[in-house]
Amino acid sequence: MASLHGPGLLVDTLMDPVLTSTMVAELKPATGTGGGEGRIGAVVFTHPDVDHILGNQAVSMEVPRLGDVKAQQDILAQAKTLHRMRFTVNLGYLLWQALQLIGGPRLLPSLPGWMRPRALQVFSFANYAFKLGGFNLHTIDADKLPAFAKTIQTGDEITLDIGDASPLPVKFWQMGSIHSKSDSVLLLPQSRVCYTGDLLFIGIAPVMWAGPAKSWVTALDDLLKATGEDWLFVPGHGPVTDAIGVQHVKSYFEYLHQAVSENCADLPLMQPELDETCAWRTLERMPNQLKEHFHEPERIVICAVIERVALRTGAPAKVDVKFKLQWISKMSEYELKRDYLSTRLMRSEL
Ligand SMILES: [Zn+2]
């Protein structure tokens, strides 16, 4: 449908404009040196999560943006909350620095037991904000988040004009709301390469914000059927992988499905207050083989909570930025407990 001049098709941007500018500069040997960004003919967005869209303004606004209509809607919704996210992160960033002056998280073990839960909450909020504060969020212009020149859908083809060689077809495939509000992949049949967005996390535990796990397993099965053993897959996070890497991610979601439906059979689905109990149990019983493949296996706790929400409602969960930040904060809390408090204490609280 769309014919682009130039060999460059950028798939997603990074978390902020500064990082994205650096990436685009480093891509120049591949995209050529004509024009500001080399010869990037278009930017295609696989999904609307902040770590894939907030660097958008680093690419000339004349370069067309493409993506699915649901991704566009979510980007517009997030633009309205960007200032609040930035304020929260700045506040926590300063708090973390202030806490360092009185000893930082090393203080935690010396606090009386009654004070620890609240102190942990404060430290974990400040800790994740400090990590996010490492990005150049102040440089992001909320009015310059991706605005698609054209929304595209499954079956649409983008043709890259690469000079003397024959044009390179790129197929767009919207796979549903699974990891995020809308997840799409790009297939390059001639090169046998698939850009999967966040339907693949390699080496680090995937996070699921929509679900359920069965949809993720089906999507990966569909991808494997549409490709082949000699294909390469470019994940949203982690190094390039092959069909075996896809299988590993599939087994993570097979376990998630089985853990939430079978291991938590005694925790009624209709009682949301039991979601967290089920989620921590899912982590506790996670097979070592999976833990070896995925760093930060504790992220499966978020997936299990979302799995329960999706199963309860019979539809992908719809979570906002606030929910995501709350859970990212809980992951920081887990890390602080693990690193500064005893394992015994942690387990007794599960
Ligand atoms: Zn991502």
Side-chain angles (χ1 to χ4, degrees):
M1 42 78 59
S3 191
L4 303 173
H5 297 289
L9 178 68
L10 185 63
V11 182
D12 296 340
T13 67
L14 299 176
M15 180 77 179
D16 72 47
V18 178
L19 285 174
T20 307
S21 293
T22 307
M23 175 179 73
V24 167
E26 286 180 7
L27 287 174
K28 274 190 180 175
T31 60
T33 51
E37 286 80 30
R39 290 192 293 151
I40 291 175
V43 187
V44 182
F45 291 89
T46 58
H47 69 292
D49 281 357
V50 288
D51 54 324
H52 297 252
I53 63 166
L54 292 185
N56 184 58
Q57 73 201 55
V59 181
S60 163
M61 290 298 154
E62 282 159 26
V63 175
R65 269 61 169 175
L66 303 169
D68 161 74
V69 65
K70 288 196 181 120
Q72 178 70 91
Q73 286 162 357
D74 196 43
I75 290 169
L76 292 174
Q78 289 185 73
K80 290 182 193 143
T81 59
L82 185 66
H83 64 285
R84 210 184 315 145
M85 172 186 153
R86 206 158 23 196
F87 175 78
T88 309
V89 168
N90 286 343
L91 191 71
Y93 189 88
L94 292 173
L95 180 61
W96 182 255
Q97 286 179 315
L99 289 170
Q100 295 309 305
L101 298 175
I102 54 166
R106 287 183 303 282
L107 262 185
L108 287 169
S110 60
L111 293 175
W114 62 269
M115 211 190 257
R116 271 191 202 151
R118 179 49 64 91
L120 260 173
Q121 273 180 359
V122 173
F123 271 95
S124 53
F125 159 65
N127 181 253
Y128 92 73
F130 183 75
K131 287 180 195 159
L132 281 178
F135 292 101
N136 300 284
L137 300 183
H138 61 283
T139 61
I140 301 162
D141 183 344
D143 293 331
K144 290 185 177 165
L145 295 187
F148 299 164
K150 191 166 190 177
T151 52
I152 50 178
Q153 50 194 321
T154 303
D156 280 344
E157 207 166 271
I158 304 161
T159 308
L160 291 180
D161 172 10
I162 47 173
D164 298 338
S166 53
L168 195 65
V170 181
K171 291 183 173 176
F172 184 82
W173 186 0
Q174 203 271 358
M175 305 201 82
S177 171
I178 305 166
H179 158 76
S180 71
K181 296 260 166 59
S182 171
D183 298 288
S184 301
V185 303
L186 294 166
L187 298 162
L188 284 78
Q190 275 182 29
S191 322
R192 299 189 183 283
V193 172
C194 174
Y195 288 79
T196 67
D198 278 3
L199 288 179
L200 281 188
F201 284 65
I202 301 301
I204 186 152
V207 177
M208 180 173 82
W209 296 115
K214 262 194 165 175
S215 301
W216 205 314
V217 171
T218 304
L220 295 182
D221 270 336
D222 290 346
L223 264 192
L224 288 170
K225 270 183 227 148
T227 55
E229 285 186 357
D230 55 344
W231 278 60
L232 291 177
F233 298 84
V234 184
H237 297 265
V240 172
T241 191
D242 55 15
I244 294 169
V246 180
Q247 292 286 359
H248 286 152
V249 178
K250 206 181 119 185
S251 53
Y252 175 95
F253 287 102
E254 281 167 345
Y255 166 68
L256 175 67
H257 168 74
Q258 174 251 318
V260 172
S261 52
E262 291 170 26
N263 295 349
C264 299
D266 59 320
L267 304 170
L269 198 56
M270 288 304 153
Q271 292 182 29
E273 66 274 18
L274 299 176
D275 289 355
E276 260 198 76
T277 311
C278 169
W280 289 106
R281 190 187 287 177
T282 301
L283 172 64
E284 262 202 312
R285 298 185 185 176
M286 192 173 178
N288 283 336
Q289 200 193 349
L290 279 180
K291 287 186 180 164
E292 281 160 20
H293 281 305
F294 299 103
H295 284 296
E296 299 185 26
E298 62 271 19
R299 290 152 63 120
I300 203 166
V301 173
I302 301 177
C303 301
V305 168
I306 293 290
E307 176 74 356
R308 298 248 314 177
V309 174
L311 292 179
R312 188 155 52 233
T313 57
K318 287 193 171 76
V319 299
D320 56 12
V321 175
K322 194 173 154 208
F323 180 95
K324 287 184 179 180
L325 292 182
Q326 272 171 354
W327 271 96
I328 293 168
S329 177
K330 281 200 193 209
M331 290 296 103
S332 276
E333 188 175 323
Y334 175 88
E335 276 176 37
L336 291 172
K337 279 183 184 172
R338 184 192 59 201
D339 296 344
Y340 295 96
L341 299 171
S342 75
T343 312
R344 191 173 47 77
L345 174 76
M346 213 171 73
R347 283 185 173 275
S348 69
E349 287 179 3
L350 291 181

